[in-house]
Amino acid sequence: MSNALVIAGETIGSRLWLGSSLYPSPQVMSEALQAAQPGFVTLSLRRQSAAQVQQQQQPDSHWSLLQSYVRDSGARLLPNTAGCYTAREAILLAQMARELFATDWIKLEVIGDDYSLQPHPLQLVEAARELIAQGFKVLPYCTDDLVLCRTLLELGCPAVMPWAAPIGTGKGLLNPWQLQTLRERLPDAVLVIDAGLGKPSQAMAALEMGFDAVLLNTAVARSQQPVAMAAAFRQAVDGGRQAYRAGLMCEQQQASPSTPVLGLPFWHQEGAL
């Protein structure tokens, strides 16, 4: 079993991916990225006027600063379409991101519900179909619905990113049975847990389950010590992947002794009964 993570023919350096919002300061974010060494760093590009975009392309802009932080960490920049509610909005925002950052990678988000921030499945599929036709490498944020994930993969998405729980809740793997079903029914697909993770142990559990990577933001950025938490998530992801590759033991209902009595003196065998 190869340990390399390959998506759309390109090797991604880490199975831990991070967001770039909510940090207490740009310096803390930079140090957290250095500690995590993520494979991707997402960037939310809000809808703006042409004048604002022009201003942000200056060397001292926010975008240039963020790109330098991402470059220093060794990660790839992954623009996303956060804040979009229709396929049309997401497509326009993706096109803008490609012009600004010279990348065909896009994290596709099309929200269908304000309360849960659940993706809109119909608008998501429509946007994915069009962006793939335009040459984008589309990584869609979706629910854990098997049919939706399969449809997105059949359209040409090189990976799908089902949620563990609603964005920012930190509730972890709310439906492990369904997530395990996704892994079993889509054995050759690249599956990335996106949203809802709150603890390093939850990220480790996702990797132990066989998911290829995890994407998170709030769990690191809103922790008391984001740099230390970023390092903790990195270790958890590495440990979870190592455990999955090693092969977890099968669960069983009946207890079995870890110390066998076969071959021991008879009085020891009687004492073990």
Side-chain angles (χ1 to χ4, degrees), residues 114-176:
D114 280 328
Y115 181 80
S116 65
L117 299 181
Q118 179 172 328
H120 193 303
L122 302 181
Q123 296 291 318
L124 186 66
V125 168
E126 181 181 340
R129 180 182 288 110
E130 177 60 28
L131 289 174
I132 290 168
Q134 294 183 18
F136 283 89
K137 300 180 181 72
V138 179
L139 305 182
Y141 160 64
C142 58
T143 62
D144 55 10
D145 183 273
L146 172 62
V147 176
L148 176 59
C149 290
R150 180 185 289 150
T151 299
L152 291 165
L153 292 167
E154 290 173 348
L155 287 175
C157 295
V160 292
M161 304 201 295
W163 66 358
I167 295 173
T169 61
K171 291 182 176 297
L173 309 177
L174 284 184
N175 195 343

Side-chain angles (χ1 to χ4, degrees), residues 10 46 55 62 79 82 88 109 160 174 181 189 245:
E10 300 187 34
R46 300 293 181 180
Q55 181 180 9
H62 167 76
R88 182 177 180 275
E109 295 185 35
V160 292
L174 284 184
T181 299
R245 296 183 72 207

Side-chain angles (χ1 to χ4, degrees), residues 45-48 53 79-82 84-100 106 108-110 126-128 130-131 134 136:
L45 181 61
R46 300 293 181 180
R47 293 182 295 275
Q48 297 156 86
V53 172
N80 69 26
T81 62
C84 293
Y85 288 83
T86 68
R88 182 177 180 275
E89 289 177 336
I91 291 167
L92 290 174
L93 203 59
Q95 293 168 338
M96 182 185 295
R98 179 158 62 179
E99 291 299 318
L100 275 175
I106 192 76
L108 179 60
E109 295 185 35
V110 186
E126 181 181 340
E130 177 60 28
L131 289 174
Q134 294 183 18
F136 283 89

